[in-house]
Amino acid sequence: TNAKFVNDAEIIEFVLSNTRIFNTEQFTDTSALRVEEIGDGNINFVYRITNDQQSVIVKQALPYVRIIGEGWPLSLDRIRIEAQCLKEEGAWAADYVPAVYYFDLARSAFIMQDIGDHENLRHALIARRSLPELGRHLGEFLAETLFHTSDFYLDTYQKKAAVADYINPDLCKITEELFFLDPFCDHERNSVNPPLREAAEALWQDEALKIEAAKLKYHFMNDAQALLHADLHSGSVFVKAEGTQVIDPEFAFYGPMSFDIGSIIGNLLLNFAGQPGLEGAAEEKQDYREYLLNTIDTLWATFCSRFKTLVSEQCKDPVFASAGFVDAFIANTWRESMGYAGTELIRRTIGLAHVADLDCIEDIDVRAVSEKFALDLGSALIKQRQVIKSPQVLKALIQAI
Ligand code: SR1
Ligand code: MG
């Protein structure tokens, strides 16, 4: 059965009956085990099983979207894809992903390492935590996972088999609609802060913007460059002072590298947009905005340097190993990332799935100022991405807005 676990005892039994497969030393004291439902995502159910000394996480998919219910059915294959992608990412970037201990097809569930000593990055950004390693960690994670699943590393047969293995149409359709359709029209799934309505209506009339968003959608659907995380927002990243963990790749599929890079940059910019309306002194907000832009700089510099090193040391295709091609590929990836960062800014501001960086601003007029900035910046990133050639040009564009 792949039915939802009916009670805590069933979840504990699921974990204990599979302990032989991952680590027989776990849970020496089984009498004190209890279950906490900890999932705050939109799609799946997540449980922590703990005896206060040791713990694991169980993640289960049901055949529908958690926050919507049975009215939005969703393939269970996503949980197979998620467990498999975590293992693939772990092979190349072990420091940045939790270990998967056991996957159970019948239950549509897997057991994984508990990263409960980390904090959700979105909460950390809202609390203005200083995370000096975040940009480097994200840049390394992206370079390692994207390079090793691309034609720069795999041979042509391995690559095509991998593309087929990660066909994920239900989850891709969510992104195709929530990123590229809904926010660019007056869709019933959208949620628009009343004082922002006029700005949203103006955006829906912007034909030049819609043409550029269409190009980004087409690129997303047709450029199978690498295995993407494909939902790399701040809620998919967990942090502590010296560590970063990337979770939740149930949207994984073969797509353009720029989608992952742009998604996480878009989330740093969403926090940047929210800063004026969040609690705190003006100087703290300004300092944190600088920190966010520096983090984008570091992320991109780390990605470029690690990706180029990987190509020079491990690229198996002599055609793609040429320095000129790699430089052109990386430059184009940055420009397209700007476009996807723009779509993330817009869809999180007026689409279905908002973010706390903006939504926790209680005064709706104050919030609308941040939201307007997010819409303006998002539109500029999408329309001007061909001339945003570097993080320095991005900074200048932000200053101008
Ligand atoms: C109905 S799913 C809404 C959003 O949550 C996920 O985490 C993805 O970001 C998706 O777009
Ligand atoms: Mg998720």
Side-chain angles (χ1 to χ4, degrees):
T1 171
N2 55 22
K4 189 173 189 306
F5 292 114
V6 290
N7 54 34
D8 292 356
E10 211 175 89
I11 299 173
I12 291 171
E13 169 55 23
F14 174 73
V15 169
L16 292 181
S17 64
N18 292 302
T19 49
R20 72 185 184 284
I21 297 167
F22 58 94
N23 181 351
T24 50
E25 298 310 309
Q26 291 272 350
F27 296 130
T28 43
D29 179 8
T30 57
S31 62
L33 282 176
R34 60 191 162 74
V35 176
E36 300 163 359
E37 220 253 273
I38 58 166
D40 63 353
N42 295 325
I43 300 186
N44 299 304
F45 291 84
V46 185
Y47 308 93
R48 170 178 291 123
I49 297 81
T50 178
N51 61 11
D52 291 324
Q53 276 78 52
Q54 302 152 297
S55 59
V56 294
I57 299 296
V58 170
K59 183 162 185 178
Q60 186 183 38
L62 294 182
Y64 51 81
V65 177
R66 170 195 172 134
I67 56 163
I68 308 284
E70 293 181 25
W72 192 332
L74 214 53
S75 158
L76 290 172
D77 193 39
R78 70 185 190 272
I79 199 85
R80 189 265 308 169
I81 285 180
E82 177 169 354
Q84 199 171 303
C85 180
L86 279 171
K87 288 185 189 173
E88 179 74 29
E89 291 168 344
W92 307 115
D95 289 348
Y96 303 124
V97 279
V100 174
Y101 299 134
Y102 173 69
F103 168 67
D104 192 295
L105 180 64
R107 270 292 189 183
S108 300
F110 65 90
I111 307 171
M112 67 175 161
Q113 182 186 354
D114 186 6
I115 54 163
D117 57 337
H118 293 63
E119 180 186 25
N120 183 305
L121 175 60
R122 196 175 305 287
H123 302 161
L125 296 176
I126 291 169
R128 293 198 194 94
R129 300 241 193 282
S130 166
L131 300 161
E133 298 293 339
L134 179 67
R136 182 175 67 80
H137 289 172
L138 290 170
E140 286 183 358
F141 169 82
L142 286 161
E144 291 285 344
T145 58
L146 298 175
F147 170 84
H148 283 107
T149 58
S150 74
D151 287 301
F152 285 95
Y153 179 73
L154 300 175
D155 77 33
T156 191
Y157 292 97
Q158 291 170 321
K159 165 75 184 319
K160 286 165 183 67
V163 171
D165 206 21
Y166 283 98
I167 294 289
N168 196 0
D170 278 5
L171 282 286
C172 284
K173 184 165 179 281
I174 291 177
T175 302
E176 288 156 22
E177 294 179 349
L178 296 192
F179 272 72
F180 304 110
L181 170 67
D182 301 10
F184 297 97
C185 64
D186 190 6
H187 200 283
E188 62 185 8
R189 280 186 297 239
N190 288 338
S191 167
V192 181
N193 182 14
L196 194 71
R197 183 88 201 166
E198 206 177 306
E201 284 175 356
L203 186 146
W204 297 332
Q205 302 302 318
D206 187 339
E207 294 306 321
L209 176 66
K210 291 204 256 190
I211 289 168
E212 294 308 313
K215 290 181 193 170
L216 289 164
K217 179 181 181 188
Y218 202 81
H219 185 46
F220 173 84
M221 294 173 75
N222 290 288
D223 200 347
Q225 293 177 353
L227 177 62
L228 305 188
H229 178 286
D231 194 23
L232 195 50
H233 58 86
S234 304
S236 296
V237 179
F238 278 67
V239 290
K240 59 181 182 181
E242 70 284 14
T244 302
Q245 296 282 301
V246 179
I247 62 165
D248 279 2
E250 70 256 40
F251 284 72
F253 81 113
Y254 264 75
M257 299 185 191
S258 49
F259 185 75
D260 269 1
I261 298 165
S263 293
I264 191 64
I265 290 176
N267 275 265
L268 295 171
L269 294 175
L270 280 160
N271 188 269
F272 184 103
Q275 282 299 328
L278 298 173
E279 302 287 312
E283 198 184 337
E284 285 171 33
K285 298 175 187 185
Q286 191 49 38
D287 287 351
Y288 208 69
R289 281 184 145 188
E290 275 172 34
Y291 160 76
L292 292 167
L293 296 182
N294 290 338
T295 299
I296 293 171
D297 269 1
T298 308
L299 182 160
W300 181 244
T302 306
F303 175 85
C304 292
S305 113
R306 178 64 67 95
F307 198 89
K308 285 184 193 175
T309 301
L310 289 167
V311 171
S312 68
E313 292 175 354
Q314 297 182 38
C315 181
K316 294 173 181 157
D317 186 323
V319 175
F320 297 148
S322 99
F325 174 71
V326 178
D327 287 345
F329 181 89
I330 287 178
N332 189 51
T333 297
W334 167 260
R335 292 192 298 266
E336 293 301 301
S337 298
M338 292 297 95
Y340 291 120
T343 57
E344 177 70 350
L345 279 158
I346 291 173
R347 74 111 175 187
R348 294 295 193 180
T349 303
I350 55 175
L352 170 80
H354 284 216
V355 289
D357 313 59
L358 297 173
D359 274 14
C360 74
I361 302 169
E362 272 174 32
D363 183 314
I364 61 169
D365 294 306
V366 175
R367 191 194 314 153
V369 173
S370 282
E371 291 175 326
K372 177 73 167 54
F373 176 87
L375 291 188
D376 290 347
L377 178 57
S379 300
L381 290 174
I382 292 170
K383 289 202 276 194
Q384 298 175 41
R385 67 189 185 283
Q386 296 305 341
V387 295
I388 307 173
K389 293 188 189 301
S390 66
Q392 287 64 41
V393 182
L394 169 65
K395 278 184 195 170
L397 176 76
I398 290 171
Q399 292 295 333
I401 295 171

